[in-house]
Amino acid sequence: MPMKIAKATFATLTVLFLVAPLIAILPLAFTSSVILTYPIPSWSLRWFEELFFADAWRRAIVNSLIIGTGTTLLATVLGTAASLGLRNRLILFRGTMRTLFLLPMVVPAVVLGVGMQVLLAGFGLTNSYLGVIIAHTVVAVPFVVVSVTGALAGIDERVELAAQSLGAAPATVFRRITLPLAMPGVLSGAVLAFATSLDEVVLTLFVAGPNQRTLARQMFSSIRENISPAIAAAAFLFIVATVLIGLVVVLSRSMLAKRR
Amino acid sequence: MAEFIRFDRISKFYGPLCVVENLDLSIGKGEFVSLLGPSGSGKTTLLMMLAGFEQPTSGNILLDGTAINAVPTHKRDMGVVFQNYALFPHMSVGDNIAFPLQMRGIGKAEVGERVKRALGMVQLSALVDRRPSQLSGGQQQRVALARALVFEPRVVLMDEPLGALDKNLREQMQLDIRDLHRRLGLTIVFVTHDQSEALTMSDRVAVFNKGKIEQIGTPRQVYDEPATRFVAEFIGETNLVEGVVEAVQGQEATVRLPSGAQIVSAVSGTVASGQPVFLSIRPERVDLSETRGEARNVLETEVTDSVYQGDHLRVQLQNATHPLIAKLGRRSREYPPGTKVFAAFSAGDCRVIAP
């Protein structure tokens, strides 16, 4: 019995440790004070107003959406194509190739950022939306690859062979069989790509110009300039978005499970 | 029967590993041929090459006189039924069956009509809107069958389609498939490792071993006249007894066993005097009696064990030099261990096989 209590206490403490920063920041989103500190004098939505109507914040939100959407599309297409290619048993060094695709997950973002800036400068793409989208795509692709590869691994190859034997050309097999069956994985990969882009700061610092300030980047700079509770409001938006995204992922996973 | 499919000196290598070796086989139109063999004998690989999923390393596959090596799977017009059914999990039963018809650009009304007919044929009309995951194994297999037949393919290929079903259902499906074969005049190539399945269903059975066909013939031929030791042992149960040929007279040979007994037996293939051979004697062809009797071949034996198995009595015998198994009808008397008996069989009920 004491063991059980110890376990429960430990688990509670761990969870608290993990969510403490969230608990600390969330109530401040609704403060009426002009500084980001406790105690909260009274409740207000003024910082959400600031977020949506102050020029800098509004532009940051719009930028985040533009860059997030671009990254999602690019990363999903590339990641899905990569996963499909990695299925082919005839590919040489298949394991190495797969690791290569997952590398951006473990390479320090700072290193990637420096490299990315040098590279994009060479193409004249620094300080452009396309440059930021490309940079974000590099770190988002691994999430798509992991997610789509998982979904593809769950497809019985003989189902595709059966479709072929029933008269479906390879492109038709992909459109009617492979893609629909992998769709939950593609969707959750896309959602993860969007989430990655949304909270990416380091690469953005390196490659984005003042016109491509994303919401995360804006939070980063405003916490140094003026510690306004608008940051807390932005954080609140982030959390809501993340929870929604998480729900989509969970739903698509359970959809996948139900198919089987 | 007109030749329809022909494998012409087909070989298949995976790297240095030879799975099918220089194989010739021809299958007639409307014929039901089983490819029977243990796993790894090359039978499934041969089927996969016929379907176009695999390419032969050398040799030609001809369909109706035309080489089809270069024809991609989706243009071969063959219905394939897999062991695990391979239904499309994201489509309803009706959509699964409609799929090959849609691929052929058939109009909606006709597709609906033919799907209905196909479902009726496999007695699943009520389940048209179900997902495959909501069906039992037997129902799924019937959907797979309907899907492979609905577009009236030139050939139907089946890769151990009944392997995952339980015994009763499997036997029912065997009869159903055989019935469909007869009614629709289908050409069927059926892969199985289950010898009784092959014997039940086929017009001809090709027995595979190590990438080669050991023997091809009607079920009766491969069972009663096994050409090789492998065939004799793989199909049914048999007693294999070593001996030496003493004389050959036409289709019969006299073989001397180590015990000194002389056996007259039918011959598969050619054997010469003085050649060491095996005798294959089917257990159910052996009669036991306590008197020597009139039979041509009689062995003196002693009962070592006797097991009642419901439909037959299985008696283990020991001759001076080798054991022998006899399966007797259930009306037979009991033979307690230690009983001295004479085991008798006719020349036609045993077979000389060159080793």
Side-chain angles (χ1 to χ4, degrees):
Chain A
M1 205 53 183
M3 191 63 196
K4 242 182 189 169
I5 293 169
K7 270 187 191 167
T9 316
F10 184 72
T12 315
L13 286 176
T14 311
V15 170
L16 262 180
F17 174 71
L18 291 175
V19 300
L22 301 185
I23 296 171
I25 192 82
L26 282 185
L28 288 173
F30 300 94
T31 185
S32 61
S33 156
V34 287
I35 45 168
L36 191 64
T37 51
Y38 285 100
I40 293 167
S42 68
W43 304 102
S44 132
L45 288 176
R46 62 181 284 201
W47 298 112
F48 285 95
E49 259 168 55
E50 160 103 12
L51 213 54
F52 290 115
F53 296 109
D55 210 33
W57 284 108
R58 212 174 54 190
R59 284 200 54 178
I61 292 175
V62 172
N63 280 341
S64 268
L65 289 177
I66 292 173
I67 292 166
T69 310
T71 303
T72 305
L73 290 177
L74 195 57
T76 307
V77 170
L78 291 179
T80 304
S83 309
L84 286 168
L86 286 171
R87 267 179 116 195
N88 191 340
R89 281 199 207 87
L90 296 177
I91 283 189
L92 290 173
F93 308 118
R94 193 155 72 125
T96 320
M97 295 277 275
R98 178 167 295 145
T99 315
L100 215 60
F101 275 104
L102 304 183
L103 215 53
M105 269 179 162
V106 285
V107 171
V110 186
V111 178
L112 269 181
V114 176
M116 202 69 81
Q117 198 192 27
V118 174
L119 195 69
L120 290 178
F123 291 100
L125 284 174
T126 43
N127 302 343
S128 72
Y129 281 106
L130 185 59
V132 183
I133 289 174
I134 289 174
H136 284 190
T137 300
V138 170
V139 287
V141 158
F143 293 99
V144 181
V145 169
V146 168
S147 163
V148 177
T149 303
L152 288 175
I155 299 179
D156 182 351
E157 200 190 341
R158 281 169 293 190
V159 170
E160 293 166 288
L161 292 181
Q164 271 184 49
S165 74
L166 295 171
T172 315
V173 175
F174 177 73
R175 194 167 44 83
R176 295 279 312 264
I177 310 295
T178 314
L179 194 57
L181 287 176
M183 196 42 94
V186 174
L187 280 184
S188 76
V191 163
L192 290 170
F194 187 78
T196 308
S197 166
L198 209 57
D199 73 9
E200 164 52 46
V201 179
V202 181
L203 287 176
T204 316
L205 280 174
F206 277 97
V207 299
N211 286 330
Q212 291 90 40
R213 276 208 171 172
T214 60
L215 193 53
R217 170 78 174 79
Q218 174 66 22
M219 285 168 76
F220 181 75
S221 52
S222 56
I223 200 154
R224 282 189 316 181
E225 290 154 16
N226 57 336
I227 311 181
S228 115
I231 295 170
F236 185 82
L237 277 191
F238 260 105
I239 290 163
V240 170
T242 314
V243 167
L244 284 180
I245 283 168
L247 277 179
V248 171
V249 173
V250 169
L251 276 179
S252 70
R253 293 256 159 89
S254 74
M255 235 165 77
L256 189 76
K258 234 200 294 190
R259 286 251 173 97
R260 297 276 137 71
Chain B
M1 197 173 283
E3 178 182 271
F4 192 52
I5 302 167
R6 181 153 145 236
F7 295 94
D8 179 22
R9 283 167 293 140
I10 292 289
S11 292
K12 175 72 182 175
F13 286 84
Y14 290 118
L17 182 73
C18 180
V19 212
V20 174
E21 191 181 344
N22 207 20
L23 181 142
D24 288 306
L25 172 63
S26 69
I27 294 167
K29 199 171 178 91
E31 198 178 16
F32 192 132
V33 173
S34 287
L35 313 182
L36 172 67
S39 60
S41 59
K43 56 194 193 309
T44 297
T45 308
L46 195 71
L47 194 80
M48 295 295 122
M49 289 192 280
L50 183 54
F53 302 143
E54 302 268 2
Q55 282 298 316
T57 311
S58 66
N60 284 315
I61 301 173
L62 291 93
L63 181 65
D64 215 2
T66 330
I68 56 167
N69 291 33
V71 178
T73 299
H74 66 277
K75 290 184 180 152
R76 288 199 183 185
D77 204 25
M78 295 182 182
V80 184
V81 182
F82 293 88
Q83 176 173 7
N84 69 339
Y85 326 128
L87 297 176
F88 306 135
H90 57 304
M91 296 184 194
S92 70
V93 165
D95 289 341
N96 262 280
I97 299 175
F99 187 85
L101 301 173
Q102 290 162 355
M103 291 302 116
R104 283 160 178 76
I106 290 168
K108 224 173 177 176
E110 196 192 334
V111 168
E113 191 52 45
R114 285 172 73 170
V115 167
K116 228 167 111 186
R117 228 184 312 140
L119 275 171
M121 180 181 73
V122 294
Q123 295 141 39
L124 287 177
S125 302
L127 305 179
V128 61
D129 292 321
R130 296 272 186 94
R131 286 290 175 100
S133 57
Q134 296 168 303
L135 303 183
S136 71
Q139 289 169 334
Q140 289 189 41
Q141 190 52 284
R142 294 222 291 274
V143 176
L145 202 58
R147 189 179 66 174
L149 298 180
V150 69
F151 61 103
E152 291 165 12
R154 292 201 282 179
V155 187
V156 180
L157 312 181
M158 303 194 183
D159 183 14
E160 309 224 6
L162 311 179
L165 304 180
D166 64 49
K167 189 164 171 289
N168 287 336
L169 198 53
R170 194 163 66 223
E171 283 168 2
Q172 183 55 48
M173 287 290 291
Q174 287 172 5
L175 298 178
D176 287 352
I177 292 174
R178 198 170 71 150
D179 181 51
L180 280 174
H181 166 244
R182 287 190 183 152
R183 265 196 298 144
L184 308 177
L186 302 165
T187 306
I188 297 182
V189 185
F190 187 97
V191 163
T192 180
H193 64 263
D194 179 339
Q195 40 110 359
S196 81
E197 192 166 283
L199 297 181
T200 306
M201 303 174 77
S202 332
D203 294 326
R204 283 193 302 154
V205 180
V207 185
F208 275 65
N209 185 30
K210 294 181 182 155
K212 289 181 172 171
I213 294 180
E214 294 258 339
Q215 185 176 4
I216 177 155
T218 62
R220 192 173 282 279
Q221 281 168 345
V222 292
Y223 188 83
D224 287 346
E225 303 160 21
T228 67
R229 179 180 177 177
F230 177 83
V231 175
E233 286 185 311
F234 191 75
I235 299 186
E237 191 183 14
T238 197
N239 294 293
L240 275 183
V241 181
E242 281 179 64
V244 175
V245 177
E246 290 225 310
V248 184
Q249 314 91 23
Q251 293 302 300
E252 290 187 349
T254 309
V255 177
R256 181 174 291 278
L257 303 187
S259 61
Q262 277 190 335
I263 302 292
V264 180
S265 162
V267 176
S268 290
T270 51
V271 291
S273 276
Q275 189 181 348
V277 291
F278 287 102
L279 272 178
S280 163
I281 309 155
R282 296 288 183 195
E284 72 277 12
R285 306 283 166 84
V286 176
D287 286 323
L288 300 186
S289 94
E290 283 178 74
T291 53
R292 180 163 263 281
E294 299 289 296
R296 268 172 103 179
N297 298 317
V298 180
L299 294 171
E300 281 181 51
T301 61
E302 185 182 322
V303 176
T304 56
D305 197 8
S306 150
V307 183
Y308 178 70
Q309 298 203 309
D311 59 340
H312 69 270
L313 183 71
R314 188 187 165 87
V315 184
Q316 294 210 14
L317 307 160
Q318 183 65 44
N319 175 252
T321 52
H322 54 84
L324 196 70
I325 291 168
K327 282 186 190 169
L328 307 175
R330 56 178 298 273
R331 288 168 200 281
S332 155
R333 52 158 287 200
E334 293 287 336
Y335 288 93
T339 317
K340 301 252 190 261
V341 289
F342 292 98
F345 44 92
S346 74
D349 285 336
C350 61
R351 212 80 205 163
V352 172
I353 296 171

